[in-house]
Amino acid sequence: EEEEEEEEKEEVVVKVTEEKSAITTKEESSELGSLEALLYECEQSPEDVKTIAEEVKKAKDPKSKKKSLTVEKIGEGTYGEAYMCDNIVLKVVPISDEKKSTAANPKRGKENVENGTEKNSDEEEYPQMVASEIRAEVAVAKRLTKLQPHVVAPKAKNVTDTFVPLDRVAICKGPYDKLLLKAWESFDFRKVSENENPSVWPKDQLYVVFSTRNGGIDLENFNLHDCKEAFSVLLQITVALAVAEEACGFEHRDLHWGNVLCKRDKVHVENDNTKKARLNGVDVTLDTYGVTASIIDFTLSRVEIKDESDVVFCDLSLDPELFEGPEDDAQSETYRRMRKALNNQWGASCPQTNAFWLHYLADTLLTKKEFKMSPNQKLSLEKFRMNCLQYDCAADAIWDPLFAGMWSSGRK
């Protein structure tokens, strides 16, 4: 056990070529598989690569009176796990430097079979992202963080705090952290995880660890009291997408109800239940009715870092299974609508994809969430759902009658 602890404390150096280069342009995108480019994106040198345990320690709240860190697993995806560490969220994603032949059609560990026979555990390859894929997500998260009010210049034309900002991102190497493993096992006991226990990863495994603030509870599990709260969540998401469309050609492309977080505002005398943004130089004030919405997870997103020639995106044409969901499922239909609108060319700009996801969210509120709503209010939401399929972008949806009286604007 002491040897393991010493191993975790060791500084692990990742071997890369001596010459660093930032891979950013569309023409160079084929070279994004190098670990070197990911290190550059994370603003790390090979000597800065430490263990996950060291990143977990940094998540401890300095104001907390507890001596130990409180860790809980709060979610999972095909490629990674999300943990709440005190009030900081850590997203831990295993990665590889080289693209393996099976990576284009990955399967979760527990479902990884060939010809109906489970693969031998010594030979089994668990799903992980390659450096180029995760580098794109890092780049998108960093670009959206630059839209935060405390980051942008005072006279910036586009501002929003609805995208959960990236506090820190780091490449790590070594054994999985023991605290995270305990949290994973507790989650698996309560809910049964679809992923393999992270203890299966080798002791020299590479990871990317994202550190963000706590944005709240996902829309799937959040209790909406009435239609004012529901419509406000839709409005906040719509305005944020519109701001990011204008600022950097942003398209989320995977905005299901697990990627929308909600949090009840703390009650203060000075709290007027409003939220502010700026769209193309126009200041916008939104009514929140006590609920603040946030957007997370940019794994499949597209964004322009500097201009239209400098784009990062996820090529979903490499994942045909994503489009094979049931015909009566709103989320599956949204993936197929995007593919058709883009003609399967995922690097292209098509902000209509954001409107498609607003259609999905409206459908989700109508069919999967319960809250107080009159027949006329339900009709307005149904019309919004229909209108979103005609809008060219999220910015068009701001003017929908559903949001009448819920926002105001004025140019500075």
Side-chain angles (χ1 to χ4, degrees), residues 241-290:
L241 291 174
V243 170
E245 284 173 355
E246 181 67 28
C248 51
F250 174 74
E251 298 169 42
H252 191 285
R253 296 183 173 178
D254 196 27
L255 198 51
H256 55 74
W257 63 348
N259 287 336
V260 174
L261 304 183
C262 300
K263 181 187 288 187
R264 294 208 170 275
D265 302 334
K266 292 182 179 179
V267 179
H268 295 296
V269 175
E270 67 273 16
N271 186 1
D272 59 358
N273 286 333
T274 62
K275 187 175 187 177
K276 298 185 184 303
R278 190 176 304 147
L279 175 57
N280 199 21
V282 178
D283 290 300
V284 181
T285 301
L286 321 174
D287 290 329
T288 66
Y289 299 102

Side-chain angles (χ1 to χ4, degrees), residues 8 25 40 86 93 103 108 120 130 148 277 294 305 332 356 392 401:
E8 288 186 9
T25 67
Y40 188 95
D86 281 354
V93 184
R108 296 182 188 274
N120 185 288
V130 295
Q148 290 283 323
S294 299
I305 303 301
S332 298
F356 291 160
D392 292 328

Side-chain angles (χ1 to χ4, degrees), residues 144 163 234 237-246 248-256 295 298 300-303 334 337-338 341-342 349-362 384 388-389 391-397:
L144 293 175
F163 297 99
L234 262 184
I237 298 302
T238 300
V239 171
L241 291 174
V243 170
E245 284 173 355
E246 181 67 28
C248 51
F250 174 74
E251 298 169 42
H252 191 285
R253 296 183 173 178
D254 196 27
L255 198 51
H256 55 74
I295 299 173
F298 314 114
L300 306 188
S301 299
R302 176 201 188 267
V303 76
T334 304
R337 285 192 179 101
M338 289 197 299
L342 282 158
S349 172
C350 182
Q352 189 179 20
T353 62
N354 288 330
F356 291 160
W357 283 106
L358 292 175
H359 169 273
Y360 157 86
L361 288 173
F384 175 83
C388 283
L389 294 180
Y391 293 142
D392 292 328
C393 56
D396 289 350

